[in-house]
């Protein structure tokens, strides 16, 4: 259990520091959907860190309600970037367009893709903890 919890915490720390690096060091302004993902990810870095040091298995009840919606939101954001039909159906109201793909690697990896991957890994680790024997 400790390895899964530590892995989830490490991913949350990397995601938090990565998002701060994109905005504060590289100068990318977060869009509206990015802000919502940050709101869900940043507390995970703290909550999972406390759980690691306390060895608390019950953290799944506090962390999954942040990780799963974060994963769904990041998945939607990625699809919003890649599918023009979603861009026409809904409008992003922030100062930066949610469809902006200025940071892109290998033709498909964008910031929302990285966010989705982080939330997915955290969710899987928490679910493994939930179903594992004590």
């Amino acid at each position: 259990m400790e390895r899964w919890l530590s892995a989830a915490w490490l991913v949350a720390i990397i995601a938090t520091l990565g998002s701060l690096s994109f905005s504060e060091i590289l100068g990318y302004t977060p869009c509206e959907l990015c802000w919502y993902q940050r709101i869900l990810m940043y507390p995970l870095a703290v909550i999972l860190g406390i759980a690691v040091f306390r060895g608390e298995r019950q953290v799944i009840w506090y962390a999954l309600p942040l990780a799963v919606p974060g994963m769904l939101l990041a998945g939607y954001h990625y699809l919003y970037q890649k599918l023009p039909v979603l861009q026409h159906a809904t409008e992003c109201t922030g100062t930066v367009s949610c469809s902006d793909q200025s940071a892109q690697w290998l033709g498909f990896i964008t910031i929302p893709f990285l966010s989705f991957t982080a939330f997915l890994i955290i969710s899987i680790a928490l679910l493994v903890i939930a179903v594992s024997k004590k």
Side-chain angles (χ1 to χ4, degrees), residues 25-98:
I25 296 172
L26 298 177
Y28 293 119
T29 302
C31 72
E32 184 178 2
L33 292 176
C34 289
W35 277 113
Y36 294 136
Q37 291 166 65
R38 286 175 173 216
I39 289 168
L40 294 168
M41 180 60 75
Y42 291 7
L44 283 173
V46 175
I47 292 168
L48 293 172
I50 292 169
V52 165
F53 286 106
R54 294 186 68 196
E56 187 175 329
R57 180 186 194 88
Q58 298 300 320
V59 71
I60 60 170
W61 300 109
Y62 310 113
L64 270 177
L66 295 170
V68 172
M71 179 182 61
L72 296 174
L73 180 62
Y76 171 76
H77 190 184
Y78 182 70
L79 291 175
Y80 186 88
Q81 285 184 324
K82 297 297 183 182
L83 301 176
V85 68
L86 285 179
Q87 296 168 17
H88 297 300
T90 59
E91 186 176 332
C92 187
T93 59
T95 57
V96 176
S97 173
C98 294

Side-chain angles (χ1 to χ4, degrees), residues 11-12 39 51 97 109-110 115:
V11 169
I39 289 168
S97 173
I109 299 172
T110 63
S115 176

